[in-house]
Amino acid sequence: MTRIQYPSPAPTRHHFAALPQAHIEVVQHDDGRWMWAISFYTADGGEGYAALPKWARFAPTEGAARAAGIAELRERLARRTWAGKPQALALMAWLDALDAPVQGALFR
């Protein structure tokens, strides 16, 4: 399992109090396909799910699952009412940074 998290875990046990938080999980299924899951928590609320077959979020490769997770998280965040606020901008900048190497790898 790969877990990409924002912000990076703090050295104390109280890091859960910092907002915003987000993560993308990428897990390989028993049949070889890859599943992804997203989760986020902000001052405006949050949502998420676990990487389980019942959600039918499958991709053929780990990179494709990661890219799908980034795209889904970006789309869900864009629907929130806080789209122009500093927390939203920080999460979108994080997603842009994650997405940059993936886009480059797709066109090689």
Side-chain angles (χ1 to χ4, degrees), residues 5-73:
Q5 185 171 327
Y6 177 92
S8 298
T12 69
R13 63 188 175 115
H14 299 290
H15 73 273
F16 62 88
L19 289 176
Q21 293 182 14
H23 73 262
I24 301 165
E25 288 183 0
V26 177
V27 180
Q28 191 167 26
H29 188 268
D30 295 340
D31 68 4
R33 295 181 295 171
W34 290 84
M35 302 179 291
W36 72 91
I38 61 107
S39 181
F40 67 91
Y41 307 94
T42 69
D44 185 44
E47 58 186 90
Y49 57 91
L52 298 170
K54 71 179 185 176
W55 301 121
R57 302 266 200 286
F58 292 106
T61 66
E62 184 177 10
R66 175 186 160 131
I70 291 168
E72 181 180 353
L73 186 55

Side-chain angles (χ1 to χ4, degrees), residues 6 19-22 40-44 73-74 77-78 80-98:
Y6 177 92
L19 289 176
Q21 293 182 14
F40 67 91
Y41 307 94
T42 69
D44 185 44
L73 186 55
R74 184 187 311 279
L77 288 170
R80 306 304 283 196
T81 60
W82 59 289
K85 296 182 180 171
Q87 287 186 350
L89 297 175
L91 281 176
M92 290 300 191
W94 173 68
L95 289 171
D96 289 343
L98 290 177

